[in-house]
């Protein structure tokens, strides 16, 4: 029988039986996940779309712009002394977090230093995490633990939780601040670990019982390679199973021991990644802050976090929270945390969902609450995951409370299947809440437009925050707003007269305002600060500008020892040596700067001048000619080249170069230079 006849017979048979061959439908959970992803993507773009082109800020300069390890994708760990994308610079925000550093390298590979791609990556991670959160809440609310109470509304309630979490203003720092993808990526793998574990708890097939714990273990391992906060993930999974599935820790460990063995491997990876303390200079118990002072202060910070969940204002990029060093100043916050802890233990003992949420908040925040981190007492991004648990409790708990209240006053004929009142109220209230939060987030994102607006906003809300003034001054200097930078640093010096950072920032602004003499005094006071090399460098340049080249040599030689491969440093050291009358040494450093890739018309001009002073005229002519090629309107180089042509007997070249220099001087309106060149031309032509 031919293939065509066979197909016709099968079609006729389907018509006779009233059936047809159709593609199998996708699982309900998968279809709901795709729908949630589409909705959440649209909401995220509506809120964050206009902020995708915002510039780099704060630690982004070290993590991206000055991070040589992300400038190539291979080899992953580096070679020939250069670090690869899995080995971030020691002490940076991505040190010990190789997966995050690799993601930055991928961004750099495709977009170099265009912020757009980096922001898109952050936003995609945020949307994917929100989708995972939606799936977790939906599956959790359908567990037998809740007795079918939320089955009918599980998908809608989960989506509402995810939307509010997605647009909450507390999330803006983690999403918009590129370096804080450490939090985003860790959060994604944290939620992936919990989701895979939840699938494992409900798996009935041998395949599911094998695949899902493996997925959870891999996700946990990857999360440990993103941020140390992931350390609590295995404990949260155990607490989840005990609360919602088994009823006891012993039964959970007995039933799911393969899962927990795989999750525990993540702790080993975390220990390996943090061997040697990549952030030991900023975090740990061996720093100048006593542990009890940190704990006292964190009690207040915890209360601040909860307040920002309810009323997210003001939000700032850096929180200036004073340390609480005595019981007299800390007792109100300690009482609050103590009562909260006791309440959490009681709720956990009763196996309540609220107890699980409170336990999650404490567990996720515990690394930053327990371990002193001197660079940041508080940060909005630390609430990235705890906020998810709190919002789930508020929205689903609010819906449950409405249900309970309505049923308490309902007549005997009340039908729970037609329980539309709580649904309507919950949807309406949550949508209004989400809209208000979206507007607040959009307003907050305006501050991220550029570093100046961001730090101006911080200073406005924290007028005594030294870090804010330092960064605002640096942003103003980078933007060329030197007069405002002087005012900013002067204000900081009024708050802290000994601030090395303030003296340095003020000096940089003064140098750019051609006030190098005033800058020198401030640079000398900044030499004791943390950026001594940069201060010596700036001081050396300022000394050159005021004609104190012999003193400049000392400072720039010190910098050159620390940065022997910097062409700019070698160039400026050569300038100082030239000004100090050490032309031969200057030539060596000019040539070294050229070999290191630093080239400019100014460098060629200075090298040519040094060669001239040592009698190497033919080489000097070559360098002057190169300076003119690099910068055709370089009047000084053309004038000096004219003199050398004349001195070496190249009369026609000298006249041609002088005529070109004369035209440039006339077009620039330089009357004195015009008269000087005309006089020289007249005399030279008469002699020749």
């Amino acid at each position: 029988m031919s293939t065509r006849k066979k197909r016709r017979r099968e079609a006729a048979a389907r018509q006779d039986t009233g059936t047809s061959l159709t593609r199998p439908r996708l699982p309900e959970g998968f279809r709901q996940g795709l729908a949630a992803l589409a909705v959440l993507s649209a909401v995220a773009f509506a809120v964050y779309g206009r902020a995708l082109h915002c510039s780099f800020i704060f630690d982004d300069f070290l993590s991206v712009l000055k991070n040589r390890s992300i400038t190539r994708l291979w080899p992953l760990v580096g070679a020939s002394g250069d670090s690869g994308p899995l080995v971030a610079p020691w002490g940076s925000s991505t040190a010990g977090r190789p997966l995050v550093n690799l993601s930055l390298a991928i961004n750099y590979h495709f977009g170099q230093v265009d912020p757009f791609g980096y922001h898109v990556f952050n936003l995609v991670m945020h949307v994917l995490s929100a989708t995972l959160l939606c799936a977790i809440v939906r599956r959790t609310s359908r567990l037998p633990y809740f007795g079918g109470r939320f089955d009918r509304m599980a998908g809608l309630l989960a989506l509402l939780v995810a939307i509010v979490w997605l647009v909450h203003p507390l999330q803006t720092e983690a999403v918009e601040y590129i370096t804080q993808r450490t939090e985003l990526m860790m959060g994604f793998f944290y939620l992936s670990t919990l989701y895979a574990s939840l699938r494992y708890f409900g798996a009935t097939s041998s395949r599911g019982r094998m695949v899902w714990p493996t997925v959870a273990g891999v996700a946990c391992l990857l999360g440990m390679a993103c941020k140390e906060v992931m350390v609590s993930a295995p404990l949260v999974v155990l607490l989840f199973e005990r609360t919602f599935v088994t009823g006891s820790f012993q039964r959970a460990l007995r039933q799911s021991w393969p899962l927990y063995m795989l999750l525990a491997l993540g702790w080993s990876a975390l220990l390996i990644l943090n061997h040697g303390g990549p952030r030991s200079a900023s975090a740990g118990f061996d720093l100048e802050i006593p542990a009890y002072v940190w704990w006292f202060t964190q009690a207040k910070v915890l209360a601040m976090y909860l307040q920002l969940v309810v009323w997210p204002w003001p939000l700032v990029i850096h929180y200036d929270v004073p340390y609480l060093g005595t019981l007299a100043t800390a007792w109100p916050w300690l009482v609050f945390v103590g009562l909260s802890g006791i309440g959490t233990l009681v709720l956990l003992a009763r196996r309540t969902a609220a107890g699980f949420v409170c336990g999650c908040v404490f567990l996720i925040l515990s690394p930053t609450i327990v371990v002193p981190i001197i660079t940041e007492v508080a940060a909005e991004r630390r609430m990235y995951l705890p906020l998810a648990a709190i919002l789930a409790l508020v929205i689903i708990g609010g819906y449950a409370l409405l249900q309970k209240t309505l049923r308490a006053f309902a007549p005997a004929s009340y039908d729970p299947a037609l329980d539309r009142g709580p649904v309507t109220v919950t949807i309406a209230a949550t949508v209004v809440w989400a809209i208000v939060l979206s507007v607040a987030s959009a307003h907050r994102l305006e501050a991220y437009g550029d570093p100046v607006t961001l730090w101006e906003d911080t200073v406005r809300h924290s007028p005594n925050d030294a870090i804010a003034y330092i960064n605002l001054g640096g942003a103003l200097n980078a933007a060329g707003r030197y007069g405002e930078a002087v005012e900013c640093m002067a204000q900081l010096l009024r708050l802290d007269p000994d601030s090395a950072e303030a003296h340095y920032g003020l000096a940089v602004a003064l140098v750019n305002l051609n006030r190098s003499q005033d800058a020198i005094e401030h640079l000398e006071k900044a030499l004791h600060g943390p950026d001594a090399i940069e201060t010596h460098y700036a001081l050396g340049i300022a000394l050159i500008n005021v004609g104190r080249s012999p003193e400049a040599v000392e400072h720039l030689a010190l910098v050159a020892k620390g940065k022997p491969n910097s062409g700019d440093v070698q160039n400026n050291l050569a300038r100082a040596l030239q000004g100090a009358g050490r032309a031969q040494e200057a030539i060596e450093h000019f040539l070294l700067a050229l070999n290191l890739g630093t080239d400019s018309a100014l460098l060629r001009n200075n090298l040519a001048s040094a060669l001239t002073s040592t009698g190497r005229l033919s080489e000097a002519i070559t360098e002057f000619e190169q300076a003119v090629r690099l910068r055709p309107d370089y009047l000084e180089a053309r004038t000096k080249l004219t003199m050398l042509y004349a001195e070496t007997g190249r009369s026609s070249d000298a006249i041609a170069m002088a005529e070109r220099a004369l035209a440039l001087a006339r077009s620039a309106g330089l009357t004195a230079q015009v008269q000087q060149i005309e006089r020289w031309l007249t005399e030279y032509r008469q002699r020749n």
Side-chain angles (χ1 to χ4, degrees), residues 526-580:
L527 287 173
H528 69 278
D531 296 323
I533 292 294
E534 295 297 328
T535 307
H536 278 287
Y537 185 52
L539 180 54
I541 293 173
L543 288 168
I544 292 174
N545 292 343
V546 298
R548 294 163 61 180
S549 293
E551 297 173 65
V553 170
E554 299 178 14
H555 295 281
L556 293 171
L558 180 64
V559 177
K561 289 181 180 179
K563 295 183 175 182
N565 297 322
S566 171
D568 290 334
V569 172
Q570 297 296 339
N571 177 37
N572 283 295
L573 175 56
R575 289 176 57 210
L577 289 166
Q578 185 177 15

Side-chain angles (χ1 to χ4, degrees), residues 95-97 223-224 226-232 270 274 278-279 367:
R97 299 164 179 175
M224 299 291 181
C226 295
K227 196 170 186 179
E228 297 78 2
V229 175
M230 191 74 189
V231 68
S232 63
L270 189 62
N274 284 273
R279 264 166 298 283

Side-chain angles (χ1 to χ4, degrees), residues 14-284:
R14 290 196 297 271
Q15 289 178 352
D16 292 340
T17 59
T19 62
S20 61
L21 293 177
T22 60
R23 293 181 180 178
R25 297 185 67 185
L26 294 172
E28 179 187 359
F30 188 77
R31 286 187 286 110
Q32 290 183 349
L34 288 178
L37 177 61
V39 172
L40 294 169
S41 298
V43 172
F45 183 77
V47 175
Y48 285 93
R50 290 189 300 173
L52 292 177
H53 292 279
C54 289
S55 60
F56 296 107
I57 58 169
F58 210 8
D59 285 344
D60 292 342
F61 292 95
L62 294 177
S63 301
V64 180
L65 300 181
K66 295 184 179 181
N67 186 356
R68 291 183 56 82
S69 69
I70 69 170
T71 57
R72 60 181 182 178
L73 289 175
W74 191 263
L76 291 175
V77 296
S80 302
D82 290 331
S83 298
L86 292 183
V87 185
W90 207 250
S92 70
S93 297
T94 53
R97 299 164 179 175
L99 202 58
V100 178
N101 206 62
L102 178 61
S103 75
L104 294 172
I106 293 172
N107 271 133
Y108 186 90
H109 177 76
F110 288 104
Q112 299 296 301
V113 292
D114 182 356
F116 179 77
Y118 297 84
H119 285 301
V120 169
F121 182 94
N122 278 23
L123 188 56
V124 168
M125 291 303 303
H126 188 44
V127 172
L128 292 176
S129 294
T131 307
L132 275 173
L133 174 62
C134 181
I136 291 169
V137 173
R138 184 179 69 247
R139 287 185 172 273
T140 301
S141 57
R142 287 176 173 170
L143 289 173
Y145 173 91
F146 293 103
R149 187 174 186 180
F150 305 113
D151 284 4
R152 189 168 60 89
M153 297 301 302
L156 179 59
L157 290 172
L159 183 59
L160 292 175
V161 170
I163 289 175
V164 175
W165 182 76
L166 184 81
V167 303
H168 198 287
L170 264 180
Q171 309 290 53
T172 52
E173 180 189 341
V175 179
E176 195 61 24
Y177 183 0
I178 290 169
T179 298
Q180 299 317 321
R181 66 173 55 177
T182 54
E183 199 78 35
L184 295 174
M185 295 179 67
M186 178 277 299
F188 172 77
F189 290 116
Y190 204 119
L191 292 170
S192 298
T193 301
L194 185 55
Y195 176 76
S197 300
L198 180 53
R199 294 297 302 268
Y200 169 73
F201 299 146
T204 55
S205 66
S206 58
R207 181 182 179 184
R209 300 289 291 179
M210 180 178 63
V211 168
W212 288 115
T214 303
V215 173
V218 171
C220 186
L221 190 67
L222 294 175
M224 299 291 181
C226 295
K227 196 170 186 179
E228 297 78 2
V229 175
M230 191 74 189
V231 68
S232 63
L235 300 179
V236 168
V237 171
L238 178 61
L239 184 60
F240 182 97
E241 185 178 11
R242 177 262 181 189
T243 302
F244 298 114
V245 182
T246 63
S248 72
F249 291 116
Q250 294 85 351
R251 193 176 298 116
L253 291 170
R254 187 168 58 251
Q255 291 184 4
S256 305
W257 63 267
L259 170 66
Y260 294 110
M261 286 186 63
L262 290 171
L263 295 182
L265 291 177
W267 287 335
S268 301
L270 189 62
L271 288 174
I272 294 172
L273 290 171
N274 284 273
H275 176 70
R279 264 166 298 283
S280 57
S282 60

Side-chain angles (χ1 to χ4, degrees), residues 466-481:
I467 298 296
Y469 279 104
I470 291 169
N471 283 280
L472 176 56
L476 289 168
N477 276 328
R481 296 161 62 176

Side-chain angles (χ1 to χ4, degrees), residues 608-609 611-613 615-625 637-651 653-654 680 684:
S609 297
L611 289 167
T612 301
S613 65
R616 297 159 63 177
L617 302 187
S618 61
E619 296 174 71
I621 288 174
T622 301
E623 295 302 329
F624 275 130
E625 289 174 340
R638 286 187 178 277
T639 302
K640 291 180 178 179
L641 185 54
T642 298
M643 299 300 110
L644 279 183
Y645 281 154
E647 188 174 347
T648 55
R650 297 170 58 177
S651 301
D653 290 334
W680 182 88
Y684 186 74

Side-chain angles (χ1 to χ4, degrees), residues 307-544:
Q307 174 258 309
L308 289 175
V309 171
V310 179
W311 187 258
W313 187 90
L315 299 176
V316 293
I317 193 68
H318 183 268
Y319 285 86
D320 182 33
V321 181
Y323 290 113
L324 305 179
T326 64
L327 281 173
T329 57
W331 74 265
W333 317 110
L334 294 174
V335 169
F336 165 75
V337 172
L339 292 176
S340 299
I342 293 171
T344 298
L345 292 175
V346 171
L347 293 172
L348 284 172
R350 296 180 178 179
R351 284 189 61 208
T352 64
F356 170 75
V357 167
C358 295
C360 278
V361 173
F362 277 109
L363 284 172
I364 297 171
L365 288 174
S366 59
T368 55
I369 289 177
V370 174
V371 181
I373 306 173
I374 62 172
T375 51
E376 281 188 301
V377 178
E380 298 161 19
R381 61 183 175 274
R382 294 173 187 167
M383 284 297 291
Y384 186 73
L385 283 177
L387 180 64
I390 295 171
L391 293 178
L393 177 63
V394 170
I395 293 173
I396 298 179
Y399 171 73
L401 182 61
L402 286 171
Q403 272 188 327
K404 185 175 182 180
T405 303
L406 183 61
R407 291 176 183 179
F409 294 97
S413 60
Y414 172 72
D415 183 3
L418 302 176
D419 192 7
R420 294 173 181 166
V423 175
T424 303
V425 173
T426 301
I427 293 174
T430 307
V431 168
V432 171
W433 189 20
I435 292 173
V436 172
L437 292 175
S438 298
V439 173
S441 291
H443 178 71
R444 172 61 183 152
L445 289 170
E446 292 178 0
Y448 285 88
D450 64 71
V452 172
T453 59
L454 184 64
W455 290 109
E456 284 178 338
D457 177 76
T458 306
V459 167
R460 188 180 306 114
H461 294 298
S462 301
N464 296 319
D465 187 350
I467 298 296
Y469 279 104
I470 291 169
N471 283 280
L472 176 56
L476 289 168
N477 276 328
R481 296 161 62 176
Y482 305 118
E484 295 172 74
V486 168
E487 296 177 7
C488 176
M489 293 295 96
Q491 175 61 26
L492 177 54
L493 285 174
R494 284 190 284 270
L495 294 173
D496 183 5
D498 297 324
S499 171
E501 293 88 348
H503 283 292
Y504 177 79
L506 177 56
V508 169
L510 290 171
V511 168
N512 283 286
L513 290 171
N514 296 319
R515 295 169 57 186
S516 294
Q517 187 61 55
D518 296 331
I520 290 172
E521 175 187 354
H522 292 285
L523 287 168
E524 290 173 341
K525 293 180 179 179
L527 287 173
H528 69 278
D531 296 323
I533 292 294
E534 295 297 328
T535 307
H536 278 287
Y537 185 52
L539 180 54
I541 293 173
L543 288 168
I544 292 174

